Amino acid sequence: QVQLVESGGGSVEAGGSLRLSCAVSGDTDSSWSMGWFRQPPGKEREAVGAIDSDGSTSYADSVKGRFTISQDNNKNTLYLQMNSLKVEDTGMYYCAAGRRLLLRLAVSGLPPNNLDAWGQGTLVAVSS
C-alpha cells in the first residue's frame, strides 16, 4: 500500500510563492508517474502537472511557466513550486501516483480516473 502525504499549503497574496511537498512511502512502483492536482472551490478536480519516472514533466496550460514539479533523488518526496500565484490558483492540492499514460491524459484535460494512490490534500488560498 502506498501513502502520500501533502504539506506546505497556506495563505499567500497574489504574486507570491509557495512550495508544496508530498511525502511518498510504502509499496511504490518505480515505473509510476507522479502528479499534482487541484480542486478549486465548487469545481471539479483538475491536473496541474505530472512527472514521469524518467524525470520528464508536463503541465496544464494554466500553470505553465509558473509552476515546477520536481522530486528528490530517492523519489521519496514530490514537490510543487508555485510562483506568481493568482487568485484562481486557490484550491485543495493533491498529489497522486499512477501509470504514466493516465497521468498524461489527466494533464491533457481528461478526468483523473484509475490512479493508484492519492494524498489527503493541502489547502492553498491566494488573496488579491
Side-chain angles (χ1 to χ4, degrees):
Q1 192 171 358
V2 178
Q3 292 82 42
L4 305 176
V5 179
E6 302 94 337
S7 61
S11 298
V12 63
E13 292 186 351
S17 298
L18 278 176
R19 188 175 81 155
L20 306 184
S21 299
C22 173
V24 183
S25 62
D27 189 15
T28 58
D29 186 325
S30 61
S31 69
W32 279 352
S33 294
M34 300 290 298
W36 284 98
F37 294 79
R38 66 186 181 188
Q39 188 163 13
K43 296 185 178 180
E44 297 292 321
R45 191 173 299 188
E46 61 185 17
V48 172
I51 184 166
D52 296 332
S53 56
D54 62 359
S56 58
T57 54
S58 57
Y59 298 93
D61 289 342
S62 59
V63 306
K64 280 181 182 176
R66 300 189 298 122
F67 290 12
T68 303
I69 295 175
S70 62
Q71 287 180 305
D72 66 358
N73 290 337
N74 295 325
K75 298 185 178 180
N76 291 330
T77 307
L78 178 72
Y79 300 101
L80 178 65
Q81 178 66 44
M82 305 186 292
N83 299 327
S84 302
L85 281 162
K86 304 176 181 180
V87 172
E88 52 264 42
D89 294 319
T90 294
M92 188 69 80
Y93 281 70
Y94 303 88
C95 62
R99 289 188 292 154
R100 179 181 184 274
L101 175 61
L102 295 179
L103 268 294
R104 289 286 179 148
L105 289 174
V107 173
S108 72
L110 293 180
N113 296 327
N114 299 317
L115 298 181
D116 291 272
W118 288 90
Q120 84 291 345
T122 186
L123 183 62
V124 172
V126 184
S127 60
S128 59

